[in-house]
Structure formats: structure tokens, C-alpha cells
Amino acid sequence: MCESRASTSTSLTKTSISSSRNSEKVGEMRLRIWHSIDQILPLVHYQPLYSNLMNSLNMQPQSASLTSLLQCLPIELENLAKPLMRIYFHSNQIRAFFRNICSQYVSSCHDVNTLFRSQSMTSKVLHEFMMFVGHPYLVLSLKPLIDLICVERKCCEIDPAKLKPGDSLEQNMRNLMVYAELAFSQVVGSRSRCPQVLREIFADLRDVVSQFYPRRIEVSRLALSSFLIMRFFAPAILNPKLFDRKRAPPNVSTFQDGDVQRTLILISKILQRLANCVVSTHPLTQKEEWLTPVLTRFSDDHHKSAMIEFLDSVSASGGELSPISKDAGFLKEGIMVERRSGPEKRRSIKNFIHQKRRYVMLTEKELTWQKVKESSGEMATKRAFPLDEITSVNVLTDAKNAFRVSTQTGEVHFQASSPAEMNEWMILIQKQQRRHIMVKNRPSGSDLVELVDIDIELELETIHCILMENRDTLVKWLAALNGDENTPRFPEELLKNLRTNEEHRLLMETLRKSIKQTLDSIDQIEGVHKIALNSHQTKNFQPQKDERPLTDNENYLLMRGERKRRKQFN
């Protein structure tokens, strides 16, 4: 009748290891073992509780439902959000559940500036859902970038107060902009990888917010970015180990490297600032003036439109993707001077009299430059470097505003018209060159497919345990609703927004019914547990050496009985 599900975790009790040839101590191992038991019943015994949870989706008023009562109990929301999310997802009712709790939250929030800023059941459930079904999406989107940062370990510090002796602020700024551009591209370019179930939830989120703020589309976009950027992408970049994005080999503290850690912090900070500012009317904050040049770069119309297009795409009604912007493959064009390079490079007056003006164009696939005929202005293709063949892009010190692009077989030197123009060309070329590296190293989607396996009995048992631990509170609430003045008052948050006496009467009546059904369902489940326990006489059981070992069920029932007896004596 009962099922025991045990989990064991280990840590380091001292055990000496001796050589087989002599008694010399060669090492030691320490183990500490925890053994946890979950008492699980067959699904049929949880049916009353399961029915109450499903019926609460359509209950009116919604504040009288079981899910609303659960939110008012003195428990941590995250302990409640995960099992509820999995139960409703397993039953294909996650969207209805999310719309209910989201509507309740938005209706109670009267300041748009604090919308989804506080911890709520809505924020907890959506966060748990994103991490539950979006793990492969997160890995495909961010792992190539994080791997690249860990391999290159370039310094990106641009805070003058933290610069080390010998650091180049200009070079660090360029490095940070390249990585930030890559992070931005990885995020806004990930829409085709976003799971369908996530796009549907995001569409529901924006739809609910739009119902309360119908003339402010930026509010619904900001609500989405506060989850997708602020609570999904940015934290994963800030701490990849927390989200299991990268597992470093033993003795290799990759994420303790100062440059890597600082780079991840800065990139995460940039994404968070953009999430607050790009899709809203508020200007970029100036809390850290040294970060202003980077933030200003990402606040232009190009980045704003790309972020808005991404948010609209992953939250489109029905999950369909909006068309990609035209000219997506074209990145930059302009006139630069080609300088002599290689063994034939030499300083002479001819290099200054006969400037080799080139029309340079950068696409997502290659860097090309063409000869400009002075007489007719016609273009003749000079050469092209595929981006996946570029090995480095460096500043030249023997000329102003000049840089070098190298491959395994050759190189080209360009001179821009200004330092800003040179930096822009270098950042874009480096970004695309690293992007091709990430594409090569990106894991395939088939390698990251995760089967969503939900143990529905375990999740229902978790809700049952939460309700049993708070059974006395539910009993006192029921007594208060029945007019007992000696019990604590009923939670005020469930009695808000009542306009008439008839609404109040209906709510009281529905609440009494909901609490009574909840108490009946958990008492019924607990009764089955007691029957299973009493069917095994374990109180005076003393096994002999020659007797068979306890079975899993007997172990479970013995431990559960001992736990109950200890609780009674305590």
C-alpha cells in the first residue's frame, strides 16, 4: 500500500586506508551519510486533495480557493511554489493556474514601479517554471559565451578605482564591449530556441498585465524582461555554477579567477540595466559614471528595437514567431585606408601620397574590402576574410587609428578616420569572430534534451505535509469564520476588494466550504498513512541476527513510527 522512496547523500567520517603490503598509512577518506525518507501513497489516495487543487482554478471568488489559502499559511513561498507548479504542469493546467495567481497579484499592486519587484507566488512559480522547462534553452544560449570568457580570461575592468598598474582602460573597454555585445546577441538571438511552453506562459503574463494597463505596452514588456532577463539570463551569467552552466575540472578554479569573475559581473550588470531601461521610458541610470560609455552604446535605437523585437517574439500569442528584421546579415560599411602589411611593408612618402582607399563591408559571414576607382568611383573586389578564419584583431602602434586583422594565411591593416570609428570596427569584427567560435563549440540541441519527469504522488504528498503541519491554523480559520471570537482573525488579504455585503457573504460561505474540504482531504490521506503503519507491528520488533533484513516498506514504516513516537515524547 505504501511506497518508500529514499535518497542518500554523502560528505566527508574518517576512514584510514592502508597498503596491502605494509601498515603504512597512505591516505584517508571521510564520509558522512544522510538518509532521507519520503512516505508516498498510491495516487488514488491523493485524489480528494488533487480534485481540490483542480477545482480551485475555477472557483469564484478566487480568493476562496485552496491555492489562495495556501499562500496565506506561514510557510516559505518557494517550498510551496515548486510542488504546485509541477502538479499543475503535470495536469496541463499550468497556464490557468498562472493566470489566476498573476491576476490576483497585479490587481493588488497599485504602483507600476514596484510591479513584480517583491517576492510573490507569481514570481516564485514563474521562476521555478523557467528553470524547470528552460534549462536546455539556457545552456544553448549562454554556455558558448561563458566557455569563451573562461578560456580567454581577458581583463574587462573599466572602473578607474579598480584598474591595476599596466592595465589599458581603452583595451579593457573594448574587451567588455565585445563580450557585452556577444551576450546581448546571444539573448536576443535565442528566440527560436525558446520552448513553446515558455512562450505561452510569457504571452499569458503580458496579457494579464495589459488588462490592468491597457494603454501602456511598455509595462507588459518590462514585466516580461524582469523575469526573462533579470531572473533568468542575468543570474545565470553572474553565477554559472549556481545554474550548473559549467563544471570546472578538479583543481581548476575557473570562476575564482579575478578577471573571469569580474567580467561576468559586469556583463550581468549591463543586461540588468538594459532590462530596466531599454523597454521603458526611463533613462539609463548614472549610478556608476565609469559604466556610462558602455550603457550609452546599448541604449541606441538599434539595440532597443532588437530587445523589443525579441520580447515580442517570445511572448507572441499562440507562440508564433514574428518575422526577422530585414538586412539582419549586414553589419557595417565604410571607407578606410588600407596600409601596407607583411614583408613588403616599408615606411616611405608613397604611403602618404598614394592612399589606398578601400570600401570595407562587414556581414555576419565575412569581412570584405573593395578598391575604389578614383576616376569613376566604381568598386572592384580586392579581398575577403571569412569570419571563421580570423584569428586576431589588434591595435597597431605605429600609426593613429590603425588596426590589424589576421588569419592563418595573411593579414590586412586598416586605418580609420577617428579613434571612435576604429573602436567600432574592431568591436564588431571581434564580436563576429568570437560568435563563429561559439557556434562551433555550441552543444547540439539533441544533446541537451531533458525529459520532464514529474513524480505526481511525491508532489501531492509535499502539499499534504504542508497542510498537515498547518492543520491547526486551518481549524482556527474555520472557527473564526463560524463566529468564534476566541480564535485569531481571518487573514485580511483574502477579504480585500469586497464592495458589497453580498460579496462578503458569498466569500465567507465559499471559504468555509473550501477549508472544510481541505481538512477532510488531508485527514483522509493521514488516515491511510495510519492504517499502513498499524498494519505492521513495529513497536516491539527486535530482529535477530539470523532473521531476514527489513524490506523497504518495513524500513519506511519503522522510521515513520519512530519519528512519530519521538515527536509525542518531545
Side-chain angles (χ1 to χ4, degrees), residues 8 47 105 127 216 248 324 329 382 492 495 521 546-547:
T8 303
Q47 194 59 44
Y105 172 79
H127 177 263
R216 301 187 62 180
I324 300 176
K382 180 73 174 175
E492 294 293 336
L495 306 179
S521 64
D546 56 344
E547 291 186 0

Side-chain angles (χ1 to χ4, degrees), residues 114-378:
T114 61
L115 191 64
F116 296 114
R117 296 297 180 91
S118 61
Q119 296 296 334
S120 65
M121 178 62 74
T122 304
S123 62
K124 291 293 185 181
V125 167
L126 185 49
H127 177 263
E128 292 291 344
F129 188 66
M130 287 190 300
M131 297 308 301
F132 187 57
V133 303
H135 179 263
Y137 172 45
L138 200 61
V139 172
L140 282 169
S141 301
L142 294 184
K143 188 176 184 299
L145 172 64
I146 294 173
D147 286 343
L148 182 69
I149 293 173
C150 292
V151 170
E152 294 186 341
R153 301 194 180 192
K154 291 182 177 292
C155 182
C156 296
E157 184 58 72
I158 59 173
D159 184 354
K162 296 182 178 181
L163 283 176
K164 301 176 183 178
D167 282 351
S168 170
L169 178 60
E170 183 182 1
Q171 181 61 49
N172 291 357
M173 179 77 71
R174 210 160 29 235
N175 293 338
L176 178 59
M177 287 188 175
V178 169
Y179 286 140
E181 282 281 7
L182 286 170
F184 184 86
S185 296
Q186 288 295 105
V187 170
V188 300
S190 67
R191 60 181 195 157
S192 62
R193 296 188 291 270
C194 185
Q196 175 71 19
V197 289
L198 272 184
R199 294 206 295 267
E200 292 172 351
I201 286 292
F202 294 155
D204 290 334
L205 170 65
R206 292 192 60 178
D207 184 52
V208 170
V209 174
S210 296
Q211 291 177 10
F212 290 89
Y213 302 93
R215 296 182 181 86
R216 301 187 62 180
I217 190 173
E218 78 280 359
V219 177
S220 67
R221 285 174 178 154
L222 192 59
L224 175 56
S225 68
S226 69
F227 286 103
L228 190 54
I229 306 297
M230 301 283 285
R231 294 181 173 129
F232 192 63
F233 284 116
I237 293 174
L238 180 63
N239 191 353
K241 292 181 69 174
L242 178 65
F243 288 85
D244 196 26
R245 297 289 70 81
K246 184 177 178 68
R247 296 180 180 178
N251 302 323
V252 179
S253 54
T254 306
F255 296 110
Q256 294 180 0
D257 180 271
D259 289 338
V260 171
Q261 191 176 46
R262 182 59 174 167
T263 298
L264 295 176
I265 290 173
L266 291 175
I267 294 174
S268 179
K269 183 178 295 189
I270 291 169
L271 280 179
Q272 292 181 57
R273 296 282 184 89
L274 293 174
N276 282 330
C277 305
V278 169
V279 295
S280 70
T281 57
H282 299 291
L284 287 167
T285 55
Q286 304 293 329
K287 293 181 180 179
E288 297 161 314
E289 293 184 0
W290 48 268
L291 198 57
T292 300
V294 180
L295 295 177
T296 302
R297 176 186 181 84
F298 288 92
S299 63
D300 63 2
D301 292 338
H302 168 71
H303 288 88
K304 284 185 177 180
S305 61
M307 176 62 77
I308 289 173
E309 183 179 339
F310 165 67
L311 295 175
D312 290 346
S313 296
V314 297
S315 60
S317 178
E320 67 274 6
L321 295 177
S322 60
I324 300 176
S325 300
K326 60 181 180 180
D327 298 331
F330 177 79
L331 300 175
K332 187 174 177 59
E333 64 177 346
I335 300 293
M336 286 194 292
V337 174
E338 181 186 0
R339 304 176 72 249
R340 294 196 177 190
S341 61
E344 61 182 24
K345 176 182 177 182
R346 61 183 181 275
R347 294 179 181 272
S348 69
I349 193 63
K350 289 185 177 181
N351 289 338
F352 299 95
I353 297 177
H354 303 289
Q355 297 286 340
K356 298 179 180 179
R357 297 176 66 250
R358 303 295 187 224
Y359 172 76
V360 186
M361 184 169 63
L362 177 65
T363 67
E364 292 185 348
K365 293 184 178 181
E366 61 182 5
L367 174 70
T368 63
W369 58 100
Q370 304 176 43
K371 183 178 180 180
V372 182
K373 295 182 178 180
E374 298 291 342
S375 57
S376 61
E378 295 179 355

Side-chain angles (χ1 to χ4, degrees), residues 436-529:
H436 280 269
I437 295 176
M438 293 191 302
V439 169
K440 287 182 179 180
N441 298 329
R442 185 174 63 193
S444 63
S446 59
D447 295 336
L448 294 170
V449 173
E450 295 181 357
L451 297 178
V452 180
D453 186 19
I454 297 177
D455 190 340
I456 187 65
E457 292 96 341
L458 175 60
E459 306 304 339
L460 287 168
E461 176 62 31
T462 302
I463 298 297
H464 166 69
C465 291
I466 290 174
L467 290 170
M468 278 301 300
E469 291 172 359
N470 294 274
R471 188 182 186 281
D472 291 342
T473 300
L474 293 174
V475 172
K476 291 177 181 178
W477 286 355
L478 184 59
L481 290 172
N482 290 328
D484 189 347
E485 297 181 355
N486 296 324
T487 59
R489 297 185 62 184
F490 196 76
E492 294 293 336
E493 54 264 38
L494 295 180
L495 306 179
K496 292 180 179 179
N497 302 323
L498 296 178
R499 300 177 182 177
T500 64
N501 292 333
E502 179 61 24
E503 288 182 353
H504 187 274
R505 184 195 65 79
L506 178 61
L507 177 61
M508 295 297 104
E509 181 180 341
T510 310
L511 278 170
R512 279 193 289 268
K513 181 180 179 181
S514 181
I515 295 177
K516 184 66 169 57
Q517 289 177 342
T518 301
L519 289 172
D520 290 343
S521 64
I522 62 175
D523 288 344
Q524 182 177 337
I525 295 171
E526 193 64 16
V528 178
H529 277 302

